[in-house]
Structure formats: structure tokens, C-alpha cells
Amino acid sequence: MRPAAKVFQNLSAHDSANMLNGKVTVFSGTLSDGQQTIAKLPATEAYLDREVENLKRIARWPELQNCVVLLRDIGRYDNQGLRMLILQPVGCLIPYKIEINALLDLMKQCAGIVGQLAARGFLHGDLSYYNLLKHQDTNDALLVDMQTLMTLAQAVETGFTTGTPLFMGWNVIRNKGHLVSTELESLFYVLIFVLAGGILPWRHTPFEDHNLAATVFGIMASDEFSARVLKRVPGVCHDMLNRLRRLFFFPDYATDVTPKRFISELHL
């Protein structure tokens, strides 16, 4: 089964979303039966095989059936013999001008998905703006890009780093491993990113630059937060963002934030 027509090719978002995992090409298309679908052409066969394995695993978990973009088939890309993933449902990026309460509802849903994955012994490993989608016609959250799925045991291994640097938790940037808490910290950065219209203040700091960790901490754990973050977002959100900042960075950097605790702060 393969798309009958490729509607558009979205390179920019997914290039950004996979800086440590190789480039992918994503097409939006229509199947022969008229259903909308996403066709994903991974950079390597190994990438594809890993994502297929993870998606098949998730397909056995009933609590995640409605909140993950799932594998429907494996198709072929033109006549090149390259395999590609056929994925549904089709979601969309969270619009920057989304109503604030709707955005907070999405963040709560995403935190709940983090908790459900953790209960199964897994972390996503790359929670970024580009991998947290919403249904096109509803405000239901969808998680995409499961290639980076890892077990909790893998996640805590020092030096095991994956994800999109712009949205990485501070622990991950420092190669200290992934945690449930760092997954939620990534959600915090996605929240800021959307509220600020697609900007995080460390966006120009390369991942290879060891100053990235210092830059993130210097903004999040100091008065720089007001000047670099709060001035860019609606005033009604300032108290909430300050609460979340304290949750992760005060009095010391936290590695034990839970989905329930994170969700409890997602209110104006």
C-alpha cells in the first residue's frame, strides 16, 4: 500500500526534529481508498526497522491507541525500492496562536502520555514541538516519531543522548541520561516555545557547543528568565511559568518531577 498522491513535502520541521538521528522526509498523501495518511521515509533502513519495532510494541498497549500516530503499513517510495512507513492518524503542529487553555489541555494530555509510557517501562526520548501534534479537527494530543523510544534502563545510562537539542532537558544536555523528569522538562520548553511564537532563548546555541548547558541553566535558574522568556509570552502566563521554573530548577535542579506534579501546575 502506498500513497496515491503526495500533497506536499515537509522538510524543515522534521530536519529540525531529528538533528541527532539523521534526516527524514515526510509526505502527506492520500491512500487509494481516499484516507489521509502520512508517509515517512527514514534516513536509513536501521532507523525504519527500529521505529517499526517500537510502533508494533505500542500497538499492543490499548491505553496508547488514541494518542500515538500508529503504523498502518510499510510501503515503497516510487520505484527506488526504498521502504517507507504509512502512518495514521494525520495530525498537525500546535498553532502558535492556539487558545491558552486549549494549549494547557494538550500539555496535560502529553504529560499523561509520558506517564503511561513510563508505566510500561519506556520513555519517548525526543519530546519536541515537532513530535507533539494535535488531531486536525479536535484538541486531542498525538505523539509521533517513536524511533527514539527507550527503556527506562537505557534512559538512565550516562552518555545515552537522543532528541532535539532545543528541547532537551538540562540533564540530557549534560549527558546525564533521560528521566521521566527530563521528558516533562521538554514539555515545559515546548509550552514556552508555543507561547513565545516559536522561540526559545537558546535557539542559536549549537548542541556541539558545551556552553549550551550553561546557557540553559543560566536563563532558567536566574533573573534572566524574566528578560529572556517572560517578556515574550502573554502576561497571564507569567505566574504559571514561574511555578514550573521553580518546579524544575529551585532550590536545586530536580530529577524527580512526576507527571501528576507537572500537571498540577498547568493552570493560569
Side-chain angles (χ1 to χ4, degrees):
M1 182 167 58
R2 54 184 293 181
K6 293 185 284 290
V7 179
F8 65 84
Q9 183 173 340
N10 180 351
L11 288 173
S12 59
H14 288 272
D15 281 352
S16 298
N18 292 280
M19 284 186 281
L20 298 185
N21 302 303
K23 304 285 191 294
V24 300
T25 304
V26 176
F27 301 102
S28 173
T30 306
L31 298 175
S32 57
D33 60 5
Q35 293 186 59
Q36 282 191 303
T37 189
I38 291 294
K40 181 177 180 180
L41 183 65
T44 67
E45 288 289 295
Y47 186 113
L48 183 144
D49 289 338
R50 179 173 173 80
E51 185 152 14
V52 168
E53 177 186 354
N54 289 335
L55 287 168
K56 286 182 176 179
R57 176 184 288 115
I58 292 170
R60 299 193 293 268
W61 300 340
E63 71 274 17
L64 290 165
Q65 296 308 293
N66 296 320
C67 49
V68 172
V69 177
L70 295 171
L71 179 68
R72 297 308 181 195
D73 208 333
I74 299 176
R76 295 285 176 180
Y77 178 66
D78 291 339
N79 296 315
Q80 300 178 33
L82 300 174
R83 294 184 300 160
M84 62 183 180
L85 306 178
I86 307 300
L87 304 166
Q88 288 178 322
V90 177
C92 62
L93 293 172
I94 301 171
Y96 297 146
K97 294 185 178 181
I98 188 172
E99 197 270 332
I100 292 174
N101 283 326
L103 173 60
L104 298 185
D105 182 57
L106 283 170
M107 292 297 104
K108 291 174 184 177
Q109 293 178 53
C110 291
I113 298 171
V114 169
Q116 290 172 326
L117 282 172
R120 290 284 184 175
F122 287 86
L123 298 178
H124 181 276
D126 187 11
L127 294 180
S128 73
Y129 172 72
Y130 306 106
N131 289 336
L132 303 178
L133 308 181
K134 66 181 290 294
H135 279 269
Q136 291 180 319
D137 301 320
T138 70
N139 202 51
D140 296 319
L142 282 170
L143 217 57
V144 70
D145 196 357
M146 307 309 292
Q147 188 271 339
T148 54
L149 194 74
M150 66 186 78
T151 66
L152 290 171
Q154 291 173 319
V156 297
E157 293 176 3
T158 300
F160 189 88
T161 302
T162 187
T164 305
L166 185 63
F167 300 95
M168 282 180 178
W170 192 59
N171 215 52
V172 179
I173 297 172
R174 298 181 301 140
N175 296 317
K176 299 294 185 180
H178 296 255
L179 302 162
V180 171
S181 190
T182 59
E183 297 275 275
L184 299 168
E185 187 182 344
S186 292
L187 292 184
F188 179 27
Y189 299 149
V190 172
L191 175 61
I192 294 172
F193 184 83
V194 176
L195 289 172
I199 292 174
L200 283 174
W202 49 87
R203 64 193 182 281
H204 296 309
T205 308
F207 179 72
E208 294 76 12
D209 187 341
H210 295 297
N211 288 330
L212 178 59
T215 300
V216 172
F217 191 82
I219 293 171
M220 299 304 295
S222 77
D223 291 341
E224 283 289 302
F225 186 75
S226 294
R228 305 286 297 277
V229 175
L230 296 185
K231 75 173 186 179
R232 295 184 179 275
V233 306
V236 69
C237 298
H238 288 188
D239 286 347
M240 174 184 64
L241 294 182
N242 273 319
R243 291 195 307 270
L244 288 167
R245 180 172 73 115
R246 288 193 294 270
L247 181 64
F248 286 103
F249 286 92
F250 291 91
D252 299 300
Y253 179 69
T255 57
D256 59 354
V257 178
T258 65
K260 182 178 180 179
R261 185 73 179 89
F262 181 77
I263 291 171
S264 73
E265 299 295 355
L266 288 173
H267 62 86
L268 299 178

